[in-house]
Amino acid sequence: MILAIDASTTGCSVAVFLEGKVVVSLESKKDRSAAESLTLMIEKVLDLSACKREDLKAVAVAKGPGSYTGLRIAVSTAKGLAFALGIPLLSYGTLDALCYAIPYVDAVDFLCPMIDARRMEVFCGFYDAKTKELVQDISAELVDENSFSDILSKGKVLFFGEGSAKCKGVILHENAVFLEEVIYPEARTACKMVSEKMEKGEFEDLTSFEPFYLKEYMFKK
């Protein structure tokens, strides 16, 4: 079994995978809940899946981009578990996993998952709608009416995720499509990616692995 952890944005989520399928998943949408909820959620999801810690074969974690605090807590927790249990650490991109949460893709050419990065800035990436392969690098973008005009000229783009709502009234290109439902990152959507990484042995180095913050965070002393 594989334990997956995600605290990239609002709230946090955990899931247990077995042979490429989701056994149990839990989500908390409570804002900034990772610090107080993550450990308890891990214990609960293991209990619900009848999985003991020693039964785990790996721990997977969403590496970002996203909330600095959430990513730091999730990665620290995942690394601690992997080290204590002597099992491998896997990671996956938060935006990559969001693509697997989309209920349909037939009517568009590209997917653009978005995570709110405050003000009018978003973390985003562009993916082929059918293959879910990344076609344009993940970046932090300050959104205005001319944003993403190059890729919008190539086909219809579905914008979604918590960062897309503030872009709807700004990006008015005829090929821009916005998903009405707000979709948040959840650990369960990473099942396919994590299972494939496990099979290929694409493990992270426990000593050097760090979250993918994407941009520098400034702190006032």
Side-chain angles (χ1 to χ4, degrees), residues 22-141:
V22 179
V23 179
V24 179
S25 66
L26 292 174
E27 295 84 32
S28 171
K29 293 298 189 294
K30 183 180 177 182
D31 192 25
R32 311 305 178 206
S33 64
E36 61 186 51
S37 304
L38 193 54
T39 301
L40 293 175
M41 289 175 68
I42 289 171
E43 294 301 326
K44 186 172 182 179
V45 79
L46 291 177
D47 183 56
L48 290 172
S49 61
C51 175
K52 298 178 181 179
R53 289 194 175 204
E54 52 266 33
D55 294 330
L56 291 173
K57 302 301 181 185
V59 180
V61 64
K63 65 181 180 181
S67 159
Y68 176 88
T69 302
L71 291 173
R72 180 173 54 81
I73 291 171
V75 168
S76 295
T77 301
K79 289 173 72 172
L81 279 170
F83 180 79
L85 297 172
I87 56 178
L89 176 70
L90 299 158
S91 76
Y92 61 91
T94 304
L95 295 174
D96 300 347
L98 268 173
C99 289
Y100 286 91
I102 290 300
Y104 64 89
V105 294
D106 293 341
V108 298
D109 301 292
F110 304 102
L111 302 177
C112 181
M114 289 181 157
I115 292 174
D116 191 358
R118 299 184 181 181
R119 298 187 177 87
M120 283 306 294
E121 193 172 15
V122 294
F123 298 127
C124 63
F126 289 87
Y127 299 76
D128 182 281
K130 292 182 174 59
T131 66
K132 293 184 170 61
E133 293 291 328
L134 188 67
V135 297
Q136 188 167 307
D137 288 346
I138 292 170
S139 59
E141 298 288 339

Side-chain angles (χ1 to χ4, degrees), residues 82-206:
F83 180 79
L85 297 172
I87 56 178
L89 176 70
L90 299 158
S91 76
Y92 61 91
T94 304
L95 295 174
D96 300 347
L98 268 173
C99 289
Y100 286 91
I102 290 300
Y104 64 89
V105 294
D106 293 341
V108 298
D109 301 292
F110 304 102
L111 302 177
C112 181
M114 289 181 157
I115 292 174
D116 191 358
R118 299 184 181 181
R119 298 187 177 87
M120 283 306 294
E121 193 172 15
V122 294
F123 298 127
C124 63
F126 289 87
Y127 299 76
D128 182 281
K130 292 182 174 59
T131 66
K132 293 184 170 61
E133 293 291 328
L134 188 67
V135 297
Q136 188 167 307
D137 288 346
I138 292 170
S139 59
E141 298 288 339
L142 189 62
V143 178
D144 61 30
E145 64 273 15
N146 298 313
S147 295
F148 318 124
S149 56
D150 287 348
I151 196 162
L152 282 165
S153 68
K154 298 176 182 178
K156 288 192 176 296
V157 178
L158 178 63
F159 295 95
F160 62 98
E162 63 166 4
S164 66
K166 63 185 178 184
C167 303
K168 188 174 182 180
V170 178
I171 302 174
L172 303 176
H173 195 284
E174 61 182 0
N175 282 336
V177 180
F178 288 85
L179 190 67
E180 293 297 328
E181 179 187 0
V182 178
I183 295 179
Y184 295 94
E186 293 182 356
R188 62 183 178 83
T189 64
C191 184
K192 183 177 185 295
M193 291 187 299
V194 167
S195 299
E196 289 177 352
K197 282 176 173 282
M198 182 69 180
E199 187 175 343
K200 295 175 182 177
E202 296 179 354
F203 307 132
E204 301 293 349
D205 183 274
L206 279 177

